[in-house]
Amino acid sequence: MLSSSDLGSASWELMVCVDHPNEEEQRDVTLRVSGDLHVGGVMLKLVEQINISRDWSDFALWWEQKHCWLLKTHWTLDKYGVQADAKLLFTPQHKMLRLRLPNVKTVRLRVSFSAVVFKAVSDICRMLNIRRFEELSLLKPPGDYFKKKKKKDKNNEPIIEDILNLDSSPTIAGPPVSPGLYSKTMTPTYDPINGTPASSTMTWFSDSPLTEQNCSILAFSQPTQSPEALADMYQPRSLVDKAKLNAGWLDSSRSLMEQGIQEDEQLLLRFKYYTFFDLNPKYDAVRINQLYEQARWAILLEEIDCTEEEMLIFAALQYHISKLSLSAEVQDFTNDSEVDEVEAALSNLEVTLEGGKTDNTLEDITDIPKLADNLKLFRPKKLILKAFKQYWFVFKDTSMAYFKNKELEQGEPIEKLNLRGCEVVPDVNVAGRKFGIKLLIPVADGMNEVYLKCDHENQYARWMAACILASKGKTMADSSYQPEVLNILSFLRMKNRSSASSTASSFESMDINPECFVSPRCAKKHKSKQLAARILEAHQNVAQMPLVEAKLRFIQAWQSLPEFGLTYYLVRFKGSKKDDILGVSYNRLIRIDAATGIPITTWRFTNMKQWNVNWEIRQVAIEFDQNVSIAFTCLSADCKIVHEYIGGYIFLSTRSKDQNETLDEDLFHKLTGGQE
């Protein structure tokens, strides 16, 4: 009797629910265990009791109440705190997940639900052949995101979603894809025009479930959506709507299962951080296409604002890209010599797409570069009409001074403007010959607004490039100045539509549905024929571009928009009585008036001394130079999401080319994980 009571006190019954892969219902198994039994021993007992011959290596224990995996198999039940009331689930770590890609294509693949999201995204990107996975993440969209499309089909047959299934094997043990998938030593060649592999590169994809056909689906632009389908897609109407959409980013430091993601749930795979490092047409056919598609949908669904003139350029490039993508003759064309020509043509884009790093040097840096010219200036004041006055401007280093005239240049300036950390907004209408620069310069109590007006596009390109570099703390001696000038000029020339009368008359014979290439709001403003004629006029300037260059041009034009790279959150600043919008960008934070959308203050990451979170009251506090400190609570999302955004951008700024493909994952988690 004694021995049996001793046994009863030392051991107890543990109920484990088993996820049988071949059975729909889960089955409960009762085990007799003791607190000093390690997790691996529990799993061994469980498999012995189930007595089914199969590979159990991918299975692990999930603790329902505590919402955590028991992955440390050497830990005992006592160490984990597992007692008789625990509900454990014995389930596969890799489960199916549906991902909506930036090109609105859905892929279904097997993903680790037990690894942290940062690692899961790395595996997903290897499967899809996308380099630089750290720029992407998974987004759980608002509840009504996928619903709108299906309203129209109530009376018709239900929509069957076109899903690309990449589940190559029934079970996957260990890492799903080998780590050397896109090693730099491999040099696959792509067709220079349509971006698909020109050589048989499937051996290069290692054990990735991608096939030739699947790769071209991901590297190719999808056919344009009908205007009706476009109107049915989720469209954020205000900054607050955009803030709600950004609330769904998953926590990179926790697993999918810990964040309540169900098997076969649909998530969005998106570029989260807008710093696109080392974009290379030789390796990045899929990445460039998905980036182009994300930019395209951001324009079409008005997630980012642009002028009508810019909308027409985007429409012309889309039309050109869709035309090349659908052209069978182009797809059959492969010529290795063309690859070099494409690379040469893209060298001017390198600065924009690599975040300002290029090997080009200025042709002449014998003097410290400076700009000096007559420009017109205007400062907005209440009850005063917009009147520009001409001054003599001198731009040197990162500041700009202006004088009454050229003769007074050696004396004291009327004012000196330090542009480090300022917002630079283009105010251009090429057709109306308007070349303006709007500067929002941070001062102690907010933003100092200054408008400049240039006489012609060459002057505008030089001064605009200088302002952009100065805002980043760089001078005109920087090697990226000249390419920046050329990029601005090429963008202006695309805007300068060559009005060919033949174009307008012959557009009806061409296959163009203009409403597919512009936002619904823009389409409503114009008649279809008028819109088609204007798109085809703009198309004349890009008609000779190869496909990959056209996509990169589109990305570059997207990057030049004033709102590019801003992610919005609804916040309440400490001491404020009203809600504001916080814009997070790759190099700065912006406080924006929620009602008007006007920026109030900008703080740059380079001036940040430290940031932390009070997890009890969910408040983010940041300290900057010159005793400036801010604190805010996040209303539209968890403060961890904003904390991770700031840390993520700081982490990405540490990348360098000599790192090759390896990343310091520990540093990422240190900067983004918080101290919860």
Side-chain angles (χ1 to χ4, degrees):
M1 290 295 288
L2 261 172
S3 61
S4 67
S5 66
D6 285 348
L7 180 73
S9 63
S11 68
W12 34 275
E13 286 191 339
L14 178 66
M15 179 88 79
V16 180
C17 190
V18 178
D19 233 348
H20 270 288
N22 304 327
E23 295 176 24
E24 284 193 17
E25 286 188 16
Q26 294 172 337
R27 204 168 81 192
D28 289 337
V29 175
T30 305
L31 301 174
R32 181 155 285 280
V33 298
S34 58
D36 60 357
L37 182 65
H38 53 71
V39 170
V42 175
M43 290 162 68
L44 190 63
K45 270 193 170 193
L46 194 58
V47 169
E48 283 171 357
Q49 197 157 323
I50 296 166
N51 198 21
I52 294 175
S53 177
R54 58 154 294 141
D55 180 5
W56 295 100
S57 60
D58 191 44
F59 278 63
L61 289 168
W62 166 256
W63 190 357
E64 195 63 56
Q65 297 105 311
K66 295 275 184 176
H67 229 60
C68 72
W69 287 93
L70 308 184
L71 296 176
K72 295 187 171 90
T73 50
H74 59 286
W75 277 26
T76 62
L77 295 177
D78 280 347
K79 192 166 183 180
Y80 263 121
V82 175
Q83 294 176 342
D85 61 346
K87 288 181 184 171
L88 298 185
L89 176 67
F90 192 50
T91 185
Q93 296 174 64
H94 288 85
K95 301 176 188 290
M96 296 309 293
L97 194 64
R98 284 179 300 143
L99 295 178
R100 174 80 72 88
L101 302 183
N103 68 345
V104 199
K105 184 90 184 161
T106 300
V107 296
R108 191 166 176 270
L109 34 76
R110 200 170 286 276
V111 177
S112 173
F113 273 58
S114 62
V116 295
V117 165
F118 187 77
K119 178 76 175 70
V121 171
S122 163
D123 291 340
I124 288 164
C125 288
R126 282 206 185 98
M127 282 188 249
L128 301 179
N129 194 28
I130 298 173
R131 289 194 317 140
R132 304 291 173 197
F133 74 90
E134 65 277 9
E135 294 167 1
L136 298 94
S137 193
L138 299 174
L139 178 67
K140 187 173 183 176
D144 54 348
Y145 188 87
F146 295 113
K147 286 177 188 169
K148 272 191 148 188
K149 260 190 156 179
K150 300 186 179 175
K151 283 182 185 171
K152 283 199 170 266
D153 291 80
K154 278 182 182 169
N155 306 324
N156 306 339
E157 294 176 20
I159 291 180
I160 299 167
E161 196 174 11
D162 179 22
I163 294 179
L164 176 62
N165 201 331
L166 297 183
D167 180 23
S168 57
S169 58
T171 58
I172 298 178
V177 182
S178 70
L181 182 65
Y182 41 69
S183 161
K184 282 265 185 169
T185 55
M186 319 276 191
T187 52
T189 53
Y190 287 96
D191 186 302
I193 296 183
N194 63 36
T196 54
S199 59
S200 179
T201 54
M202 283 311 108
T203 51
W204 177 64
F205 288 126
S206 180
D207 53 351
S208 166
L210 281 171
T211 62
E212 290 278 3
Q213 180 194 356
N214 294 342
C215 179
S216 65
I217 287 172
L218 300 182
F220 253 159
S221 179
Q222 294 295 295
T224 50
Q225 294 271 8
S226 68
E228 295 76 34
L230 193 58
D232 275 348
M233 292 180 82
Y234 182 86
Q235 233 174 319
R237 298 286 172 198
S238 63
L239 283 179
V240 175
D241 279 355
K242 292 175 187 177
K244 282 178 190 163
L245 187 59
N246 290 313
W249 288 109
L250 296 188
D251 185 338
S252 296
S253 304
R254 290 160 66 216
S255 70
L256 290 169
M257 200 94 154
E258 287 172 296
Q259 298 181 68
I261 303 302
Q262 305 294 316
E263 183 165 10
D264 224 28
E265 191 170 331
Q266 184 153 14
L267 299 176
L268 308 179
L269 178 70
R270 290 281 182 276
F271 287 88
K272 176 179 180 179
Y273 298 105
Y274 293 91
T275 51
F276 315 127
F277 185 70
D278 183 29
L279 266 179
N280 188 330
K282 197 183 282 183
Y283 309 102
D284 289 326
V286 176
R287 182 174 166 221
I288 288 169
N289 185 57
Q290 296 299 331
L291 200 47
Y292 157 70
E293 289 283 349
Q294 184 160 324
R296 183 167 84 94
W297 287 110
I299 303 291
L300 290 176
L301 299 176
E302 294 181 1
E303 288 171 17
I304 185 168
D305 287 338
C306 65
T307 64
E308 198 170 290
E309 192 173 47
E310 287 160 345
M311 182 69 81
L312 288 169
I313 293 170
F314 287 123
L317 282 165
Q318 280 180 76
Y319 171 60
H320 183 61
I321 290 163
S322 68
K323 217 170 73 161
L324 286 182
S325 300
L326 293 169
S327 161
E329 300 82 46
V330 167
Q331 288 181 29
D332 294 336
F333 172 78
T334 55
N335 182 344
D336 287 345
S337 66
E338 286 287 322
V339 178
D340 300 325
E341 289 177 38
V342 172
E343 286 187 0
L346 294 173
S347 60
N348 284 345
L349 294 177
E350 194 182 24
V351 59
T352 314
L353 303 175
E354 291 194 359
K357 290 186 175 72
T358 177
D359 297 328
N360 298 342
T361 50
L362 282 171
E363 288 164 18
D364 182 15
I365 48 169
T366 48
D367 300 319
I368 297 170
K370 79 170 190 178
L371 286 175
D373 212 340
N374 284 310
L375 300 176
K376 295 185 177 74
L377 172 110
F378 161 70
R379 283 183 172 284
K381 289 178 187 168
K382 287 177 184 174
L383 306 172
I384 295 178
L385 291 171
K386 203 168 185 176
F388 282 90
K389 199 172 175 188
Q390 185 163 298
Y391 295 98
W392 178 256
F393 278 80
V394 176
F395 200 125
K396 201 162 188 180
D397 294 330
T398 58
S399 56
M400 180 194 298
Y402 61 95
F403 307 83
K404 200 169 183 182
N405 54 46
K406 187 178 180 179
E407 286 68 39
L408 299 171
E409 186 185 323
Q410 300 309 318
E412 274 293 306
I414 298 169
E415 189 180 11
K416 188 173 182 178
L417 307 169
N418 183 8
L419 302 191
R420 191 184 283 264
C422 75
E423 297 295 307
V424 185
V425 183
D427 184 18
V428 175
N429 183 330
V430 178
R433 307 302 296 159
K434 175 188 176 186
F435 301 102
I437 302 169
K438 179 179 169 184
L439 300 171
L440 296 165
I441 302 164
V443 287
D445 57 345
M447 301 291 268
N448 194 347
E449 205 170 328
V450 176
Y451 286 81
L452 302 178
K453 193 190 269 184
C454 300
D455 294 331
H456 49 80
E457 56 192 45
N458 285 332
Q459 187 186 49
Y460 168 80
R462 290 197 308 274
W463 286 81
M464 183 68 176
C467 291
I468 290 169
L469 262 67
S471 74
K472 297 173 184 174
K474 296 177 182 178
T475 70
M476 286 176 282
D478 192 89
S479 60
S480 60
Y481 174 69
Q482 211 56 45
E484 188 70 55
V485 174
L486 294 172
N487 283 334
I488 293 167
L489 281 171
S490 70
F491 193 41
L492 290 176
R493 281 172 196 138
M494 282 200 287
K495 286 186 178 186
N496 189 9
R497 299 193 310 278
S498 53
S499 49
S501 54
S502 59
T503 316
S505 59
S506 66
F507 78 88
E508 287 168 84
S509 63
M510 293 180 77
D511 179 26
I512 179 168
N513 187 353
E515 290 83 6
C516 299
F517 302 112
V518 295
S519 67
R521 189 169 55 173
C522 181
K524 282 175 193 166
K525 279 188 189 174
H526 304 280
K527 289 178 180 170
S528 188
K529 283 186 178 182
Q530 188 186 16
L531 199 56
R534 292 183 70 186
I535 290 171
L536 288 167
E537 270 180 33
H539 179 247
Q540 296 299 301
N541 295 319
V542 298
Q544 303 308 314
M545 275 186 199
L547 183 58
V548 178
E549 189 186 342
K551 285 179 184 175
L552 287 169
R553 281 282 171 193
F554 194 100
I555 296 165
Q556 182 205 1
W558 175 47
Q559 287 176 306
S560 71
L561 295 176
E563 285 182 19
F564 168 77
L566 280 174
T567 307
Y568 301 102
Y569 292 97
L570 190 65
V571 299
R572 174 72 64 91
F573 278 90
K574 191 177 178 180
S576 173
K577 291 182 179 174
K578 66 183 185 71
D579 301 343
D580 285 304
I581 296 286
L582 180 75
V584 184
S585 180
Y586 72 96
N587 59 355
R588 67 201 189 282
L589 299 173
I590 306 174
R591 182 177 182 174
I592 301 166
D593 188 296
T596 62
I598 295 170
I600 302 167
T601 318
T602 296
W603 303 278
R604 298 194 80 83
F605 291 158
T606 47
N607 300 333
M608 191 190 288
K609 281 161 70 176
Q610 66 169 27
W611 84 101
N612 55 62
V613 180
N614 182 330
W615 296 108
E616 284 178 28
I617 58 171
R618 317 301 284 179
Q619 186 182 70
V620 181
I622 308 174
E623 278 183 45
F624 296 94
D625 293 341
Q626 298 169 336
N627 297 324
V628 175
S629 60
I630 60 170
F632 57 84
T633 49
C634 198
L635 307 176
S636 64
D638 191 279
C639 65
K640 169 69 171 72
I641 294 177
V642 181
H643 177 290
E644 186 176 309
Y645 243 114
I646 296 168
Y649 272 127
I650 290 168
F651 169 75
L652 293 185
S653 70
T654 65
R655 293 182 296 180
S656 63
K657 276 202 164 178
D658 55 342
Q659 283 176 323
N660 203 3
E661 308 292 345
T662 56
L663 280 175
D664 186 346
E665 197 173 323
D666 290 340
L667 179 62
F668 175 84
H669 291 300
K670 195 174 174 183
L671 288 168
T672 61
Q675 301 300 318
E676 280 189 287

